Amino acid sequence: MVCKQFIGFVVSWLALALATPLQAESERQATGDELSAEQLEEEASRKPRVPTFAIEGDLAGELSVMSTRYEDTFAAIGNRDSLGYLELVKANPGVDPWLPGEGTQITVPRHYVLPDGKREGIVINLAEYRLYYFTEDGVQVYPVGVGTEDNPSPLTDAEVTMPLESPAWYPPASIRAEYEESGDYLPRMIPPGPNNPLGTHALMLSEKGYLIHGTNKLFGVGMQVSHGCFRMYNEDISRFVYEVSKGTPVRVIKEPVKIGVKDNEVWIEVHRPKEEYSEQDRDRLWREVSEAVEEFRRKRPGVEVQRRAIELALDQADGLPRMIGERVTRVANEIPEPQKASSDGDADREQQLWF
């Protein structure tokens, strides 16, 4: 809900302690009580709602299955179990997200090909609406709401500068103008409480005007919904702020295609941007998949991948990791055996289409 135009943050107690004037109202976005060292230590025992998965090569986590209750919806399941709405929808085609029904078996998508690059601190992948938090024990993965196409989240390298408890929101003039155009009124300051779009806690970032924060809405985490900031469930951010220290690096990327290796297996994970899968999105993803596979093979020449498996992953684009090949080690003087003729020769050749 907080957009990229927001500039400046003020922590009221700090301003009073230093006897410095507050910034002009148009420059304020959020104020709150900075968490003291004692509070951080006291709350450090709060356990996160998501598992900490061991990292195995370039993969982590595992798929599981759960049985829905009559009153369940995907939005309610996501809020309860810290999963994004869209990741549940894409992982369970053919299931009504608003009325899955009593006893329906659904896939819980907690199996990940890890984003490329340094595995340190926080990595947010806009293409999959997920936040990865790397620790000494492994990785935690949270759903996040990100910026819309009109108000995109920035691709950036930043760091956490301050955790906040009970933040107040000072919407800038641009956001107030949007509300006025739609006939609504937005005050210059929204205090902490149930009407505050920043939720119960927030992490201030060095990227000016951006936060990782909670929400006062039950729907939208794991989707394109914000004005550029990163929205988490209150139940997650209220624990997360006590895990993350000042100076933690925050890297924001956009990778709809991820490829990795676990043991000798090659895996791919492809994400379509929306619930619907348009031809335009399919064409764009095919180009990105092709480029990603070629780059991966260039870096790892001992890898073979099967085109049919890649096409299946692209056709679904559901964010579920799929094995597409293997890492093959050959002896330099090894002579491959000739293939035997088969009555199903065409079928055999189709099975051996390597990308």
Side-chain angles (χ1 to χ4, degrees):
M1 194 98 194
V2 185
C3 80
K4 61 183 178 182
Q5 296 99 331
F6 295 175
I7 56 174
F9 296 85
V10 176
V11 181
S12 57
W13 71 267
L14 182 59
L16 291 172
L18 298 177
T20 56
L22 293 176
Q23 292 179 341
E25 191 166 289
S26 62
E27 294 180 339
R28 295 184 296 184
Q29 177 185 8
T31 62
D33 299 324
E34 184 185 5
L35 302 174
S36 67
E38 291 77 10
Q39 285 176 304
L40 289 171
E41 184 176 352
E42 177 183 350
E43 299 293 346
S45 61
R46 293 192 180 188
K47 293 183 178 180
R49 295 199 304 161
V50 300
T52 299
F53 289 113
I55 297 174
E56 302 176 277
D58 299 319
L59 278 77
E62 59 185 1
L63 294 180
S64 61
V65 176
M66 66 168 289
S67 182
T68 60
R69 301 173 300 192
Y70 175 77
E71 66 273 17
D72 278 338
T73 67
F74 281 7
I77 292 171
N79 191 29
R80 184 185 70 216
D81 297 336
S82 190
L83 294 161
Y85 172 78
L86 277 181
E87 66 178 334
L88 282 170
V89 169
K90 291 188 290 186
N92 294 279
V95 179
D96 186 342
W98 297 106
L99 190 64
E102 177 75 27
T104 301
Q105 299 291 302
I106 66 169
T107 298
V108 180
R110 282 201 168 109
H111 191 206
Y112 317 101
V113 175
L114 299 175
D116 196 19
K118 196 171 184 179
R119 294 167 188 167
E120 178 186 16
I122 295 170
V123 177
I124 298 174
N125 189 359
L126 302 179
E128 55 179 317
Y129 315 120
R130 286 174 179 153
L131 180 154
Y132 293 82
Y133 178 51
F134 293 95
T135 71
E136 294 181 355
D137 299 323
V139 62
Q140 299 170 11
V141 187
Y142 296 89
V144 289
V146 304
T148 63
E149 294 178 359
D150 294 332
N151 297 284
S153 300
L155 301 175
T156 184
D157 288 304
E159 65 179 34
V160 173
T161 59
M162 187 181 296
L164 295 174
E165 186 178 49
S166 301
W169 180 38
Y170 292 82
S174 59
I175 297 299
R176 297 201 304 272
E178 287 183 18
Y179 276 71
E180 290 176 4
E181 288 178 4
S182 62
D184 296 325
Y185 169 72
L186 189 64
R188 292 179 178 272
M189 189 275 285
I190 297 180
N195 295 322
N196 190 315
L198 300 185
T200 62
H201 295 74
L203 290 171
M204 189 183 298
L205 304 181
S206 61
E207 182 73 21
K208 197 173 183 180
Y210 293 91
L211 296 166
I212 300 172
H213 63 81
T215 178
N216 63 340
K217 298 182 183 298
L218 296 179
F219 184 69
V221 174
M223 301 173 66
Q224 285 184 300
V225 290
S226 78
H227 280 82
C229 283
F230 309 103
R231 181 186 300 180
M232 297 178 71
Y233 292 118
N234 282 334
E235 293 81 359
D236 288 334
I237 190 67
S238 63
R239 294 164 167 82
F240 194 52
V241 293
Y242 299 106
E243 288 192 83
V244 180
S245 59
K246 296 179 184 179
T248 297
V250 179
R251 184 164 60 98
V252 183
I253 61 175
K254 190 173 184 179
E255 293 182 3
V257 181
K258 300 181 296 178
I259 305 177
V261 174
K262 175 184 175 182
D263 297 327
N264 288 322
E265 302 167 348
V266 182
W267 293 73
I268 194 170
E269 184 178 318
V270 183
H271 291 264
R272 63 181 187 267
K274 301 176 182 177
E275 187 172 346
E276 300 79 17
Y277 196 13
S278 68
E279 285 301 320
Q280 182 179 3
D281 288 336
R282 189 183 299 270
D283 291 342
R284 177 181 55 80
L285 276 176
W286 175 246
R287 290 191 296 270
E288 296 195 34
V289 166
S290 300
E291 293 171 2
V293 170
E294 289 303 323
E295 176 66 12
F296 185 81
R297 294 186 68 198
R298 185 186 66 79
K299 292 180 179 178
R300 307 196 188 200
V303 161
E304 289 185 340
V305 292
Q306 191 171 12
R307 183 183 181 95
R308 175 174 288 182
I310 295 172
E311 290 175 342
L312 177 60
L314 174 70
D315 183 62
Q316 301 298 317
D318 52 14
L320 299 180
R322 286 180 167 81
M323 194 173 73
I324 58 170
E326 60 184 347
R327 183 167 50 192
V328 180
T329 302
R330 287 193 174 91
V331 180
N333 61 356
E334 179 182 6
I335 301 175
E337 296 182 6
Q339 294 186 357
K340 296 180 180 180
S342 170
S343 58
D344 296 324
D346 292 339
D348 288 342
R349 284 192 294 271
E350 178 68 18
Q351 288 289 341
Q352 296 300 321
L353 274 177
W354 298 100
F355 197 85

